[in-house]
Amino acid sequence: MSAFASFKALVHQRCGLHLEGLAEARLFRAVASLQTSTGLTDNTQLLKKLTSDPALFDQFVSHLTVNETYFCREPDALNWLVSTYLPERLATEEPPLSIFSAGCSSGEEPYSVAMMLFERFGERAKTLFTLTGGDLDHQILAKARQAVYSGMAFRALSPAFKERYFSPYQGRYKLHESLRQWVTFRPFNLLNANEDSPGGPFDVILFRNVSIYFDQQTRRHIHQQLSQLLAPNGILLCGVTETFGNDLGVFELTEARGVFYFRHAEQPGAVPTASLQPPLLSVDNRAGDNIDNGESATIALTSSAGLAPATPTEQAAKNTELEDTGLENSDLENKELEKTATNSITHQLHTAHQLLNQNAFDDAATLLEELLKQQPWSIDALVLSGLVARWQQQPQQAYDYFKRAIYVAPDCWPAHFYLAELYRQGELTDEPLQRKQRYAAVVRLLTTAPTSDGGLETITPPLPPGDARFLAERYLNTVDITLAIASTTQGVG
């Protein structure tokens, strides 16, 4: 790893990204890509060129972050912002109020705010608010400016919003021009607010689901930089699971209607951090949720007919029994039938996957339902069905599909990961212990087999294994903080 230490140091110095542990895999890939594009195999020469060529460094950085985002992420905080906080500010201040999305990635967050503001204020919103997005990755900013999206980006967006604000475009969907032009995107380095400054001061800064990339010391420095951009009575919103990990003494933490946010110290209405207590968190286990870490357990799973279908092992035993009774079949005919059936199932899985990426959720669900009647234990079909149900905002169905996938294949890390996401994103009532177990299973499985496909035979994992492991480890840290706070709170009195 010593050969890459200089690359780590350069990235940390310029961007603050923490590339230790499992994030090293992305660093290795980024360096390899750089070697290919430049023709330089000597790391000393490569580092020298990287240091002196800003465009090349931008290309390098684009390989180092996980741009996993989507529209209307963590909607409770956004609803409070648009429906309560901003109208209250407008009642006492002259517009326009300025909103900045720090670490905006491919633009889904600022565009979500734009749609929600337009819903509430109509055309007048464009005179009442300015919207800016900033990110270090120049390539991802180019995608944000294009505002063309598909698949996973729409999983939490209501069909009405999608129909109202997007138009079909080359097999994907493009945001309407009036909203696209409303949002300004600028390069922004979180470590240096004066470098490529996004403007300001801002009345609202969104720093959500970004801090997982930084260690605590770097996060504190970033807060100091953001404090220079935040208006005297402005607010800073972090991701729901990141809030308490960002309580670093730079801002004061306060709460309104269940939403936690930061503001400058000694502002009217600010609540001292020490007086805040988060809501009590339930840590009871859901019945049957103890299948984890490769351990087996017995679960009653019923099919649509009300009977548990035979597992692959049971089916194999039945086949052997039939053979032993002397039943004879044509080997050639069997092989041909098997081949035809396999090709048909593979085709159906690919079609369902394509429908999912095109947001044709109902069609995908219908196809997968028929497929599961034929192959009730298909890992690919179960994972796809879970994703479809999740994007249709049916979290309990998604939960059931992912649990069945884990029952069949305990090493199915995509199912573990998305079960944890159902809890973390609030789609199911959060159970921190279960969330922790799921993320821990992902880390354990991908530490043992870093390139594992999770038991999927036909489709590729919905998230690259390295990225899933990186996110799971980071989210494990937030679970530990949540559990520690819950334990302390429950012990009071």
Side-chain angles (χ1 to χ4, degrees), residues 84-99 121 124 127-129 201-204 230-235 263 267-268:
T84 302
Y85 179 76
L86 291 174
E88 288 176 356
R89 286 285 301 272
L90 285 174
T92 59
E93 298 181 33
E94 289 295 321
L97 299 178
S98 55
I99 302 168
F121 297 96
R124 210 163 53 96
T127 64
L128 297 176
F129 307 97
F202 294 100
D203 298 286
V204 176
L230 189 65
N233 57 346
I235 66 169
R263 59 193 302 163
Q267 288 301 309

PDB file of all heavy atoms in Angstrom, residues 84-99 121 124 127-129 201-204 230-235 263 267-268:
ATOM      1  N   THR A  84     -42.678  24.840   6.076  1.00  0.00           N
ATOM      2  CA  THR A  84     -42.689  25.545   7.356  1.00  0.00           C
ATOM      3  C   THR A  84     -41.582  26.584   7.471  1.00  0.00           C
ATOM      4  O   THR A  84     -41.840  27.777   7.651  1.00  0.00           O
ATOM      5  CB  THR A  84     -42.559  24.531   8.521  1.00  0.00           C
ATOM      6  OG1 THR A  84     -43.632  23.594   8.439  1.00  0.00           O
ATOM      7  CG2 THR A  84     -42.597  25.241   9.867  1.00  0.00           C
ATOM      8  N   TYR A  85     -40.352  26.145   7.359  1.00  0.00           N
ATOM      9  CA  TYR A  85     -39.237  27.043   7.651  1.00  0.00           C
ATOM     10  C   TYR A  85     -39.151  28.207   6.661  1.00  0.00           C
ATOM     11  O   TYR A  85     -39.090  29.385   7.063  1.00  0.00           O
ATOM     12  CB  TYR A  85     -37.916  26.279   7.658  1.00  0.00           C
ATOM     13  CG  TYR A  85     -36.731  27.175   7.924  1.00  0.00           C
ATOM     14  CD1 TYR A  85     -36.460  27.648   9.206  1.00  0.00           C
ATOM     15  CD2 TYR A  85     -35.901  27.592   6.882  1.00  0.00           C
ATOM     16  CE1 TYR A  85     -35.395  28.514   9.445  1.00  0.00           C
ATOM     17  CE2 TYR A  85     -34.833  28.445   7.101  1.00  0.00           C
ATOM     18  CZ  TYR A  85     -34.583  28.900   8.392  1.00  0.00           C
ATOM     19  OH  TYR A  85     -33.534  29.757   8.618  1.00  0.00           O
ATOM     20  N   LEU A  86     -39.140  27.915   5.375  1.00  0.00           N
ATOM     21  CA  LEU A  86     -38.974  28.987   4.387  1.00  0.00           C
ATOM     22  C   LEU A  86     -40.150  29.966   4.376  1.00  0.00           C
ATOM     23  O   LEU A  86     -39.933  31.186   4.288  1.00  0.00           O
ATOM     24  CB  LEU A  86     -38.734  28.386   2.996  1.00  0.00           C
ATOM     25  CG  LEU A  86     -37.378  27.692   2.833  1.00  0.00           C
ATOM     26  CD1 LEU A  86     -37.292  26.999   1.481  1.00  0.00           C
ATOM     27  CD2 LEU A  86     -36.230  28.696   2.988  1.00  0.00           C
ATOM     28  N   PRO A  87     -41.413  29.509   4.471  1.00  0.00           N
ATOM     29  CA  PRO A  87     -42.514  30.477   4.576  1.00  0.00           C
ATOM     30  C   PRO A  87     -42.392  31.379   5.805  1.00  0.00           C
ATOM     31  O   PRO A  87     -42.712  32.573   5.733  1.00  0.00           O
ATOM     32  CB  PRO A  87     -43.760  29.587   4.661  1.00  0.00           C
ATOM     33  CG  PRO A  87     -43.377  28.347   3.927  1.00  0.00           C
ATOM     34  CD  PRO A  87     -41.926  28.131   4.273  1.00  0.00           C
ATOM     35  N   GLU A  88     -41.923  30.825   6.928  1.00  0.00           N
ATOM     36  CA  GLU A  88     -41.738  31.658   8.121  1.00  0.00           C
ATOM     37  C   GLU A  88     -40.644  32.703   7.890  1.00  0.00           C
ATOM     38  O   GLU A  88     -40.777  33.849   8.336  1.00  0.00           O
ATOM     39  CB  GLU A  88     -41.383  30.765   9.313  1.00  0.00           C
ATOM     40  CG  GLU A  88     -42.554  29.925   9.812  1.00  0.00           C
ATOM     41  CD  GLU A  88     -42.157  28.978  10.930  1.00  0.00           C
ATOM     42  OE1 GLU A  88     -40.942  28.918  11.265  1.00  0.00           O
ATOM     43  OE2 GLU A  88     -43.049  28.288  11.471  1.00  0.00           O
ATOM     44  N   ARG A  89     -39.593  32.326   7.195  1.00  0.00           N
ATOM     45  CA  ARG A  89     -38.535  33.296   6.892  1.00  0.00           C
ATOM     46  C   ARG A  89     -39.047  34.390   5.951  1.00  0.00           C
ATOM     47  O   ARG A  89     -38.721  35.570   6.102  1.00  0.00           O
ATOM     48  CB  ARG A  89     -37.342  32.580   6.254  1.00  0.00           C
ATOM     49  CG  ARG A  89     -36.502  31.741   7.213  1.00  0.00           C
ATOM     50  CD  ARG A  89     -35.618  32.604   8.123  1.00  0.00           C
ATOM     51  NE  ARG A  89     -34.701  33.439   7.388  1.00  0.00           N
ATOM     52  CZ  ARG A  89     -33.485  33.050   7.000  1.00  0.00           C
ATOM     53  NH1 ARG A  89     -33.047  31.828   7.278  1.00  0.00           N
ATOM     54  NH2 ARG A  89     -32.695  33.881   6.336  1.00  0.00           N
ATOM     55  N   LEU A  90     -39.858  33.999   4.978  1.00  0.00           N
ATOM     56  CA  LEU A  90     -40.385  34.985   4.028  1.00  0.00           C
ATOM     57  C   LEU A  90     -41.316  35.987   4.709  1.00  0.00           C
ATOM     58  O   LEU A  90     -41.464  37.125   4.240  1.00  0.00           O
ATOM     59  CB  LEU A  90     -41.147  34.274   2.895  1.00  0.00           C
ATOM     60  CG  LEU A  90     -40.301  33.564   1.839  1.00  0.00           C
ATOM     61  CD1 LEU A  90     -41.195  32.792   0.887  1.00  0.00           C
ATOM     62  CD2 LEU A  90     -39.436  34.565   1.071  1.00  0.00           C
ATOM     63  N   ALA A  91     -41.926  35.554   5.806  1.00  0.00           N
ATOM     64  CA  ALA A  91     -42.843  36.455   6.517  1.00  0.00           C
ATOM     65  C   ALA A  91     -42.103  37.600   7.191  1.00  0.00           C
ATOM     66  O   ALA A  91     -42.702  38.645   7.488  1.00  0.00           O
ATOM     67  CB  ALA A  91     -43.637  35.668   7.557  1.00  0.00           C
ATOM     68  N   THR A  92     -40.800  37.449   7.403  1.00  0.00           N
ATOM     69  CA  THR A  92     -40.047  38.480   8.121  1.00  0.00           C
ATOM     70  C   THR A  92     -38.897  39.070   7.311  1.00  0.00           C
ATOM     71  O   THR A  92     -38.276  40.033   7.738  1.00  0.00           O
ATOM     72  CB  THR A  92     -39.468  37.905   9.429  1.00  0.00           C
ATOM     73  OG1 THR A  92     -38.609  36.793   9.120  1.00  0.00           O
ATOM     74  CG2 THR A  92     -40.599  37.434  10.348  1.00  0.00           C
ATOM     75  N   GLU A  93     -38.585  38.481   6.147  1.00  0.00           N
ATOM     76  CA  GLU A  93     -37.433  38.942   5.371  1.00  0.00           C
ATOM     77  C   GLU A  93     -37.797  39.143   3.909  1.00  0.00           C
ATOM     78  O   GLU A  93     -38.701  38.501   3.379  1.00  0.00           O
ATOM     79  CB  GLU A  93     -36.286  37.933   5.488  1.00  0.00           C
ATOM     80  CG  GLU A  93     -35.779  37.763   6.913  1.00  0.00           C
ATOM     81  CD  GLU A  93     -34.625  36.776   6.977  1.00  0.00           C
ATOM     82  OE1 GLU A  93     -33.847  36.722   6.011  1.00  0.00           O
ATOM     83  OE2 GLU A  93     -34.521  36.074   7.997  1.00  0.00           O
ATOM     84  N   GLU A  94     -37.052  40.012   3.267  1.00  0.00           N
ATOM     85  CA  GLU A  94     -37.258  40.275   1.852  1.00  0.00           C
ATOM     86  C   GLU A  94     -36.625  39.157   1.020  1.00  0.00           C
ATOM     87  O   GLU A  94     -35.510  38.716   1.309  1.00  0.00           O
ATOM     88  CB  GLU A  94     -36.623  41.618   1.464  1.00  0.00           C
ATOM     89  CG  GLU A  94     -37.358  42.830   2.010  1.00  0.00           C
ATOM     90  CD  GLU A  94     -38.754  42.966   1.410  1.00  0.00           C
ATOM     91  OE1 GLU A  94     -38.898  42.705   0.194  1.00  0.00           O
ATOM     92  OE2 GLU A  94     -39.686  43.323   2.146  1.00  0.00           O
ATOM     93  N   PRO A  95     -37.318  38.683  -0.007  1.00  0.00           N
ATOM     94  CA  PRO A  95     -36.720  37.690  -0.900  1.00  0.00           C
ATOM     95  C   PRO A  95     -35.687  38.358  -1.829  1.00  0.00           C
ATOM     96  O   PRO A  95     -35.681  39.593  -1.922  1.00  0.00           O
ATOM     97  CB  PRO A  95     -37.928  37.168  -1.673  1.00  0.00           C
ATOM     98  CG  PRO A  95     -38.914  38.289  -1.660  1.00  0.00           C
ATOM     99  CD  PRO A  95     -38.703  39.006  -0.358  1.00  0.00           C
ATOM    100  N   PRO A  96     -34.886  37.571  -2.512  1.00  0.00           N
ATOM    101  CA  PRO A  96     -34.915  36.118  -2.518  1.00  0.00           C
ATOM    102  C   PRO A  96     -34.092  35.518  -1.380  1.00  0.00           C
ATOM    103  O   PRO A  96     -33.094  36.085  -0.948  1.00  0.00           O
ATOM    104  CB  PRO A  96     -34.290  35.767  -3.876  1.00  0.00           C
ATOM    105  CG  PRO A  96     -33.310  36.882  -4.120  1.00  0.00           C
ATOM    106  CD  PRO A  96     -33.936  38.118  -3.529  1.00  0.00           C
ATOM    107  N   LEU A  97     -34.547  34.347  -0.901  1.00  0.00           N
ATOM    108  CA  LEU A  97     -33.774  33.552   0.029  1.00  0.00           C
ATOM    109  C   LEU A  97     -32.909  32.582  -0.785  1.00  0.00           C
ATOM    110  O   LEU A  97     -33.356  32.064  -1.816  1.00  0.00           O
ATOM    111  CB  LEU A  97     -34.692  32.772   0.960  1.00  0.00           C
ATOM    112  CG  LEU A  97     -35.627  33.595   1.858  1.00  0.00           C
ATOM    113  CD1 LEU A  97     -36.516  32.679   2.680  1.00  0.00           C
ATOM    114  CD2 LEU A  97     -34.832  34.520   2.762  1.00  0.00           C
ATOM    115  N   SER A  98     -31.703  32.353  -0.316  1.00  0.00           N
ATOM    116  CA  SER A  98     -30.759  31.550  -1.094  1.00  0.00           C
ATOM    117  C   SER A  98     -30.545  30.183  -0.452  1.00  0.00           C
ATOM    118  O   SER A  98     -30.393  30.069   0.766  1.00  0.00           O
ATOM    119  CB  SER A  98     -29.423  32.280  -1.215  1.00  0.00           C
ATOM    120  OG  SER A  98     -28.922  32.624   0.068  1.00  0.00           O
ATOM    121  N   ILE A  99     -30.536  29.152  -1.296  1.00  0.00           N
ATOM    122  CA  ILE A  99     -30.393  27.765  -0.851  1.00  0.00           C
ATOM    123  C   ILE A  99     -29.212  27.144  -1.587  1.00  0.00           C
ATOM    124  O   ILE A  99     -29.100  27.265  -2.809  1.00  0.00           O
ATOM    125  CB  ILE A  99     -31.671  26.963  -1.137  1.00  0.00           C
ATOM    126  CG1 ILE A  99     -32.869  27.627  -0.445  1.00  0.00           C
ATOM    127  CG2 ILE A  99     -31.525  25.510  -0.683  1.00  0.00           C
ATOM    128  CD1 ILE A  99     -34.208  27.079  -0.904  1.00  0.00           C
ATOM    129  N   PHE A 121     -45.272  27.412  -4.310  1.00  0.00           N
ATOM    130  CA  PHE A 121     -45.334  28.837  -4.638  1.00  0.00           C
ATOM    131  C   PHE A 121     -45.610  29.131  -6.108  1.00  0.00           C
ATOM    132  O   PHE A 121     -45.779  30.296  -6.480  1.00  0.00           O
ATOM    133  CB  PHE A 121     -44.008  29.517  -4.246  1.00  0.00           C
ATOM    134  CG  PHE A 121     -43.707  29.477  -2.779  1.00  0.00           C
ATOM    135  CD1 PHE A 121     -42.882  28.490  -2.258  1.00  0.00           C
ATOM    136  CD2 PHE A 121     -44.258  30.404  -1.916  1.00  0.00           C
ATOM    137  CE1 PHE A 121     -42.591  28.445  -0.897  1.00  0.00           C
ATOM    138  CE2 PHE A 121     -43.977  30.371  -0.555  1.00  0.00           C
ATOM    139  CZ  PHE A 121     -43.148  29.379  -0.045  1.00  0.00           C
ATOM    140  N   ARG A 124     -43.984  32.026  -8.896  1.00  0.00           N
ATOM    141  CA  ARG A 124     -43.423  33.026  -7.997  1.00  0.00           C
ATOM    142  C   ARG A 124     -42.170  32.511  -7.284  1.00  0.00           C
ATOM    143  O   ARG A 124     -41.330  33.292  -6.827  1.00  0.00           O
ATOM    144  CB  ARG A 124     -44.486  33.402  -6.962  1.00  0.00           C
ATOM    145  CG  ARG A 124     -44.403  34.820  -6.421  1.00  0.00           C
ATOM    146  CD  ARG A 124     -45.724  35.187  -5.754  1.00  0.00           C
ATOM    147  NE  ARG A 124     -46.126  34.219  -4.761  1.00  0.00           N
ATOM    148  CZ  ARG A 124     -45.894  34.339  -3.443  1.00  0.00           C
ATOM    149  NH1 ARG A 124     -45.241  35.383  -2.995  1.00  0.00           N
ATOM    150  NH2 ARG A 124     -46.317  33.422  -2.601  1.00  0.00           N
ATOM    151  N   THR A 127     -38.743  33.890  -8.130  1.00  0.00           N
ATOM    152  CA  THR A 127     -38.365  35.218  -7.638  1.00  0.00           C
ATOM    153  C   THR A 127     -38.151  35.217  -6.125  1.00  0.00           C
ATOM    154  O   THR A 127     -37.510  36.121  -5.597  1.00  0.00           O
ATOM    155  CB  THR A 127     -39.446  36.251  -7.987  1.00  0.00           C
ATOM    156  OG1 THR A 127     -40.664  35.914  -7.300  1.00  0.00           O
ATOM    157  CG2 THR A 127     -39.699  36.278  -9.483  1.00  0.00           C
ATOM    158  N   LEU A 128     -38.661  34.194  -5.452  1.00  0.00           N
ATOM    159  CA  LEU A 128     -38.539  34.131  -4.002  1.00  0.00           C
ATOM    160  C   LEU A 128     -37.265  33.427  -3.541  1.00  0.00           C
ATOM    161  O   LEU A 128     -36.789  33.668  -2.430  1.00  0.00           O
ATOM    162  CB  LEU A 128     -39.751  33.394  -3.407  1.00  0.00           C
ATOM    163  CG  LEU A 128     -41.111  34.044  -3.604  1.00  0.00           C
ATOM    164  CD1 LEU A 128     -42.205  33.144  -3.042  1.00  0.00           C
ATOM    165  CD2 LEU A 128     -41.154  35.410  -2.924  1.00  0.00           C
ATOM    166  N   PHE A 129     -36.702  32.537  -4.404  1.00  0.00           N
ATOM    167  CA  PHE A 129     -35.574  31.717  -3.987  1.00  0.00           C
ATOM    168  C   PHE A 129     -34.527  31.602  -5.094  1.00  0.00           C
ATOM    169  O   PHE A 129     -34.866  31.606  -6.276  1.00  0.00           O
ATOM    170  CB  PHE A 129     -36.042  30.302  -3.612  1.00  0.00           C
ATOM    171  CG  PHE A 129     -37.156  30.270  -2.606  1.00  0.00           C
ATOM    172  CD1 PHE A 129     -38.477  30.135  -3.013  1.00  0.00           C
ATOM    173  CD2 PHE A 129     -36.893  30.398  -1.248  1.00  0.00           C
ATOM    174  CE1 PHE A 129     -39.514  30.109  -2.103  1.00  0.00           C
ATOM    175  CE2 PHE A 129     -37.919  30.385  -0.323  1.00  0.00           C
ATOM    176  CZ  PHE A 129     -39.233  30.239  -0.744  1.00  0.00           C
ATOM    177  N   PRO A 201     -23.825  35.079   1.215  1.00  0.00           N
ATOM    178  CA  PRO A 201     -24.186  34.063   2.211  1.00  0.00           C
ATOM    179  C   PRO A 201     -25.522  33.398   1.877  1.00  0.00           C
ATOM    180  O   PRO A 201     -26.388  34.001   1.258  1.00  0.00           O
ATOM    181  CB  PRO A 201     -24.259  34.851   3.507  1.00  0.00           C
ATOM    182  CG  PRO A 201     -24.598  36.249   3.076  1.00  0.00           C
ATOM    183  CD  PRO A 201     -23.919  36.446   1.761  1.00  0.00           C
ATOM    184  N   PHE A 202     -25.657  32.143   2.328  1.00  0.00           N
ATOM    185  CA  PHE A 202     -26.847  31.352   2.038  1.00  0.00           C
ATOM    186  C   PHE A 202     -27.752  31.253   3.261  1.00  0.00           C
ATOM    187  O   PHE A 202     -27.285  31.101   4.385  1.00  0.00           O
ATOM    188  CB  PHE A 202     -26.442  29.949   1.577  1.00  0.00           C
ATOM    189  CG  PHE A 202     -25.716  29.935   0.269  1.00  0.00           C
ATOM    190  CD1 PHE A 202     -24.323  29.835   0.231  1.00  0.00           C
ATOM    191  CD2 PHE A 202     -26.400  30.033  -0.931  1.00  0.00           C
ATOM    192  CE1 PHE A 202     -23.650  29.830  -0.971  1.00  0.00           C
ATOM    193  CE2 PHE A 202     -25.733  30.036  -2.148  1.00  0.00           C
ATOM    194  CZ  PHE A 202     -24.350  29.932  -2.172  1.00  0.00           C
ATOM    195  N   ASP A 203     -29.042  31.322   3.000  1.00  0.00           N
ATOM    196  CA  ASP A 203     -30.015  31.190   4.084  1.00  0.00           C
ATOM    197  C   ASP A 203     -30.190  29.731   4.511  1.00  0.00           C
ATOM    198  O   ASP A 203     -30.540  29.459   5.662  1.00  0.00           O
ATOM    199  CB  ASP A 203     -31.366  31.765   3.648  1.00  0.00           C
ATOM    200  CG  ASP A 203     -31.251  33.246   3.344  1.00  0.00           C
ATOM    201  OD1 ASP A 203     -31.143  34.031   4.291  1.00  0.00           O
ATOM    202  OD2 ASP A 203     -31.253  33.602   2.147  1.00  0.00           O
ATOM    203  N   VAL A 204     -29.971  28.818   3.584  1.00  0.00           N
ATOM    204  CA  VAL A 204     -30.050  27.387   3.877  1.00  0.00           C
ATOM    205  C   VAL A 204     -28.894  26.699   3.165  1.00  0.00           C
ATOM    206  O   VAL A 204     -28.680  26.908   1.969  1.00  0.00           O
ATOM    207  CB  VAL A 204     -31.382  26.773   3.397  1.00  0.00           C
ATOM    208  CG1 VAL A 204     -31.384  25.258   3.625  1.00  0.00           C
ATOM    209  CG2 VAL A 204     -32.566  27.418   4.090  1.00  0.00           C
ATOM    210  N   LEU A 230     -22.704  30.572   5.507  1.00  0.00           N
ATOM    211  CA  LEU A 230     -24.052  30.584   6.069  1.00  0.00           C
ATOM    212  C   LEU A 230     -24.417  31.980   6.572  1.00  0.00           C
ATOM    213  O   LEU A 230     -23.652  32.607   7.303  1.00  0.00           O
ATOM    214  CB  LEU A 230     -24.146  29.578   7.219  1.00  0.00           C
ATOM    215  CG  LEU A 230     -25.541  29.301   7.779  1.00  0.00           C
ATOM    216  CD1 LEU A 230     -26.437  28.640   6.731  1.00  0.00           C
ATOM    217  CD2 LEU A 230     -25.448  28.423   9.033  1.00  0.00           C
ATOM    218  N   ALA A 231     -25.583  32.473   6.167  1.00  0.00           N
ATOM    219  CA  ALA A 231     -26.061  33.783   6.620  1.00  0.00           C
ATOM    220  C   ALA A 231     -26.193  33.783   8.146  1.00  0.00           C
ATOM    221  O   ALA A 231     -26.361  32.730   8.769  1.00  0.00           O
ATOM    222  CB  ALA A 231     -27.408  34.095   5.971  1.00  0.00           C
ATOM    223  N   PRO A 232     -26.122  34.961   8.776  1.00  0.00           N
ATOM    224  CA  PRO A 232     -26.158  35.021  10.245  1.00  0.00           C
ATOM    225  C   PRO A 232     -27.334  34.279  10.872  1.00  0.00           C
ATOM    226  O   PRO A 232     -27.192  33.673  11.932  1.00  0.00           O
ATOM    227  CB  PRO A 232     -26.237  36.527  10.517  1.00  0.00           C
ATOM    228  CG  PRO A 232     -25.547  37.137   9.351  1.00  0.00           C
ATOM    229  CD  PRO A 232     -25.905  36.282   8.172  1.00  0.00           C
ATOM    230  N   ASN A 233     -28.499  34.306  10.231  1.00  0.00           N
ATOM    231  CA  ASN A 233     -29.649  33.589  10.787  1.00  0.00           C
ATOM    232  C   ASN A 233     -30.057  32.403   9.908  1.00  0.00           C
ATOM    233  O   ASN A 233     -31.201  31.967   9.931  1.00  0.00           O
ATOM    234  CB  ASN A 233     -30.842  34.527  10.959  1.00  0.00           C
ATOM    235  CG  ASN A 233     -31.221  35.198   9.644  1.00  0.00           C
ATOM    236  OD1 ASN A 233     -30.461  35.179   8.683  1.00  0.00           O
ATOM    237  ND2 ASN A 233     -32.391  35.817   9.600  1.00  0.00           N
ATOM    238  N   GLY A 234     -29.085  31.874   9.148  1.00  0.00           N
ATOM    239  CA  GLY A 234     -29.355  30.738   8.284  1.00  0.00           C
ATOM    240  C   GLY A 234     -29.257  29.418   9.024  1.00  0.00           C
ATOM    241  O   GLY A 234     -28.889  29.357  10.210  1.00  0.00           O
ATOM    242  N   ILE A 235     -29.596  28.340   8.334  1.00  0.00           N
ATOM    243  CA  ILE A 235     -29.547  27.013   8.946  1.00  0.00           C
ATOM    244  C   ILE A 235     -28.766  26.045   8.054  1.00  0.00           C
ATOM    245  O   ILE A 235     -28.699  26.213   6.826  1.00  0.00           O
ATOM    246  CB  ILE A 235     -30.952  26.431   9.222  1.00  0.00           C
ATOM    247  CG1 ILE A 235     -31.700  26.165   7.910  1.00  0.00           C
ATOM    248  CG2 ILE A 235     -31.735  27.342  10.144  1.00  0.00           C
ATOM    249  CD1 ILE A 235     -32.976  25.349   8.091  1.00  0.00           C
ATOM    250  N   ARG A 263     -27.315  25.875  13.418  1.00  0.00           N
ATOM    251  CA  ARG A 263     -27.301  27.314  13.137  1.00  0.00           C
ATOM    252  C   ARG A 263     -26.139  27.920  13.892  1.00  0.00           C
ATOM    253  O   ARG A 263     -25.527  27.301  14.752  1.00  0.00           O
ATOM    254  CB  ARG A 263     -28.629  27.944  13.537  1.00  0.00           C
ATOM    255  CG  ARG A 263     -28.990  27.789  15.001  1.00  0.00           C
ATOM    256  CD  ARG A 263     -30.440  28.154  15.254  1.00  0.00           C
ATOM    257  NE  ARG A 263     -30.737  29.524  14.840  1.00  0.00           N
ATOM    258  CZ  ARG A 263     -31.971  29.983  14.647  1.00  0.00           C
ATOM    259  NH1 ARG A 263     -33.003  29.173  14.823  1.00  0.00           N
ATOM    260  NH2 ARG A 263     -32.173  31.230  14.293  1.00  0.00           N
ATOM    261  N   GLN A 267     -27.868  32.493  18.266  1.00  0.00           N
ATOM    262  CA  GLN A 267     -28.912  33.087  17.437  1.00  0.00           C
ATOM    263  C   GLN A 267     -30.243  32.983  18.175  1.00  0.00           C
ATOM    264  O   GLN A 267     -30.466  32.058  18.956  1.00  0.00           O
ATOM    265  CB  GLN A 267     -29.022  32.355  16.094  1.00  0.00           C
ATOM    266  CG  GLN A 267     -27.859  32.621  15.166  1.00  0.00           C
ATOM    267  CD  GLN A 267     -27.712  34.096  14.854  1.00  0.00           C
ATOM    268  OE1 GLN A 267     -28.665  34.753  14.467  1.00  0.00           O
ATOM    269  NE2 GLN A 267     -26.519  34.626  15.060  1.00  0.00           N
ATOM    270  N   PRO A 268     -31.156  33.901  17.950  1.00  0.00           N
ATOM    271  CA  PRO A 268     -32.456  33.834  18.626  1.00  0.00           C
ATOM    272  C   PRO A 268     -33.126  32.497  18.357  1.00  0.00           C
ATOM    273  O   PRO A 268     -33.210  32.046  17.216  1.00  0.00           O
ATOM    274  CB  PRO A 268     -33.244  34.989  17.993  1.00  0.00           C
ATOM    275  CG  PRO A 268     -32.197  35.923  17.492  1.00  0.00           C
ATOM    276  CD  PRO A 268     -31.034  35.075  17.084  1.00  0.00           C
TER     277      PRO A 268
END
